[in-house]
Amino acid sequence: MVIDNQSIAIIGGGPGGLTLARLLQIHQADVKVYERDLNPYARVQGSPLDMHEGSGMDALRAADLLDEFKKNYRPGADKILIVNEQAEIVFSDYETKPDKDFGNEDFRPEIDRGPLRNMLLDSLEPETVVWDSHFISMEKQNNGWLLHFKNGSSAYADLVIAADGAHSKIRPYLTDLRPIYSGNFNA
């Protein structure tokens, strides 16, 4: 495997970074997640996420976390109710859409980010996440990278993975292209 004997750094401890860390650990990879939050309780995690077949649900299955997900998701939260200005129902799938339909490509179970993050953190080996590690810069060193953090610490990794969002601080090391809002949103 390409990752054998390689130290891997994931910058960003959101759902993507933590899921990737879990998947890599299943394959015995040496991985650390560097997260800017001081600890897992530093802030509220934000709005719920839809998990779709072909993306999030597939990742949860591959990470062997589907049973844990089923304990934490919000049954029925993916149902749709549309009303007009008089609060008359224009569309509803509340009566026809089942609460649980795992495996159906149209099923989009929702989970709050806090429980999702906790579930992912609990699945990782101890000391995988290095808290209070706000990425500042990196420089080439030997066959890998020396990472520098706002707290004054540094770490070496053979491979660095950016999981720090649209305004990634890793992106400038890969490309001069900047992210732009396309005006499209696919729910």
Side-chain angles (χ1 to χ4, degrees):
M1 197 178 237
V2 175
I3 59 173
D4 287 346
N5 302 314
Q6 300 286 307
S7 59
I8 302 170
I10 298 174
I11 307 300
L18 295 175
T19 301
L20 179 57
R22 166 69 176 173
L23 292 168
L24 288 168
Q25 285 184 346
I26 286 173
H27 295 283
Q28 285 75 49
D30 174 19
V31 62
K32 292 285 186 192
V33 176
Y34 295 93
E35 170 55 43
R36 68 182 179 180
D37 287 349
L38 293 176
N39 59 52
Y41 317 105
R43 62 188 168 98
V44 175
Q45 290 302 299
S47 63
L49 292 173
D50 288 357
M51 294 293 172
H52 295 246
E53 292 294 332
S55 60
M57 292 303 294
D58 289 359
L60 290 171
R61 282 188 193 92
D64 196 24
L65 292 172
L66 189 57
D67 288 338
E68 199 59 35
F69 175 81
K70 288 178 179 180
K71 295 176 189 174
N72 290 285
Y73 84 108
R74 301 172 70 198
D78 67 320
K79 294 183 179 184
I80 299 172
L81 179 67
I82 301 173
V83 298
N84 63 17
E85 302 84 26
Q86 289 78 38
E88 298 166 332
I89 297 173
V90 175
F91 176 84
S92 173
D93 64 1
Y94 272 73
E95 299 299 321
T96 59
K97 192 169 193 179
D99 285 342
K100 297 178 185 178
D101 203 5
F102 288 93
N104 181 325
E105 67 180 27
D106 295 324
F107 185 49
R108 304 174 320 272
E110 289 190 9
I111 186 168
D112 290 322
R113 286 178 189 255
L116 177 62
R117 187 182 209 193
N118 292 339
M119 178 182 81
L120 291 166
L121 287 171
D122 290 345
S123 75
L124 298 174
E125 295 171 11
E127 310 300 317
T128 297
V129 179
V130 182
W131 300 101
D132 189 23
S133 296
H134 189 143
F135 176 83
I136 298 296
S137 65
M138 65 184 191
E139 59 190 274
K140 190 77 175 142
Q141 185 178 76
N142 302 322
N143 292 325
W145 297 92
L146 185 61
L147 308 168
H148 302 285
F149 302 99
K150 191 174 184 177
N151 65 12
S153 68
S154 296
Y156 175 84
D158 296 304
L159 176 65
V160 179
I161 299 170
D164 57 335
H167 299 288
S168 171
K169 295 196 191 269
I170 302 290
R171 182 187 312 273
Y173 294 91
L174 304 173
T175 180
D176 291 333
L177 297 175
R178 297 178 50 107
I180 59 167
Y181 177 64
S182 67
N184 293 322
F185 178 77
N186 296 321

